[in-house]
Amino acid sequence: MGISLNPITSLYYVAPCCLAFLVVPWVFVELPRLRAVGTFQPDLFVFGTNSLCAFALNLAVFLLVGKTSALTMNVAGVVKDWLLIAFSWSVIRDTVTPINLFGYGIAFLGVGYYNHVKLQALKAKEAQKKAAQADEEAGSLLQERDSHADRKTDSQA
């Protein structure tokens, strides 16, 4: 008897662990800095909307991984990085070096190869399903023909 780990259940178990692991460094690193400033006033609206966004992001990640695979999540992450880089280059006018372009090219080839392999696997699976369906139809036709032939010989006898 196991636990069904749908996205909400997964968040139910993962979130407290994340909180426990993040509170420890926060107490030793961030809290002393906040106390040193002395004017720290927590804004519950900002905290609440940030928490809601983090929850939605975690839910989206669990849904994506649950429906596809962790590899697909990594490929989506690469595409997201490309979009961020394109935004930073075009809007913020950040510099992109030749080594950056080379790395992006390798990542692009990797994503293209991944999509090619997934498409080939999907086509092979579909062809196998069609072949199995054709075999099943041929088997039922042969069985129908044999039963018809048996009835014909029984009526002649």
Side-chain angles (χ1 to χ4, degrees):
M1 182 185 291
I3 299 172
S4 173
L5 289 179
N6 61 38
I8 297 293
T9 307
S10 298
L11 280 176
Y12 177 77
Y13 288 107
V14 170
C17 296
C18 291
L19 176 68
F21 281 100
L22 290 174
V23 162
V24 173
W26 181 81
V27 166
F28 292 110
V29 176
E30 297 293 330
L31 188 59
R33 290 181 185 172
L34 291 174
R35 285 187 176 159
V37 171
T39 60
F40 172 65
Q41 294 291 328
D43 187 352
L44 293 179
F45 177 74
V46 171
F47 181 74
T49 53
N50 189 19
S51 299
L52 187 63
C53 287
F55 176 78
L57 175 66
N58 284 331
L59 184 62
V61 166
F62 281 114
L63 285 171
L64 180 66
V65 171
K67 297 290 181 191
T68 57
S69 69
L71 182 60
T72 302
M73 180 63 193
N74 284 337
V75 170
V78 169
V79 172
K80 176 198 67 141
D81 291 342
W82 290 342
L83 294 173
L84 285 172
I85 291 162
F87 174 79
S88 69
W89 176 74
S90 64
V91 175
I92 303 172
R93 298 291 180 212
D94 198 7
T95 58
V96 178
T97 65
I99 194 83
N100 294 130
L101 290 174
F102 180 71
Y104 305 147
I106 289 174
F108 182 76
L109 291 174
V111 169
Y113 181 71
Y114 168 76
N115 287 330
H116 172 73
V117 169
K118 286 289 261 189
L119 184 63
Q120 293 301 99
L122 185 64
K123 284 181 180 178
K125 188 176 181 180
E126 194 173 301
Q128 187 179 17
K129 185 189 265 187
K130 283 184 180 180
Q133 194 175 34
D135 287 346
E136 185 179 308
E137 287 177 13
S140 65
L141 286 174
L142 286 173
Q143 189 177 23
E144 186 180 309
R145 186 188 72 181
D146 290 344
S147 66
H148 182 69
D150 288 344
R151 277 186 267 149
K152 196 173 190 181
T153 53
D154 285 345
S155 66
Q156 288 178 353

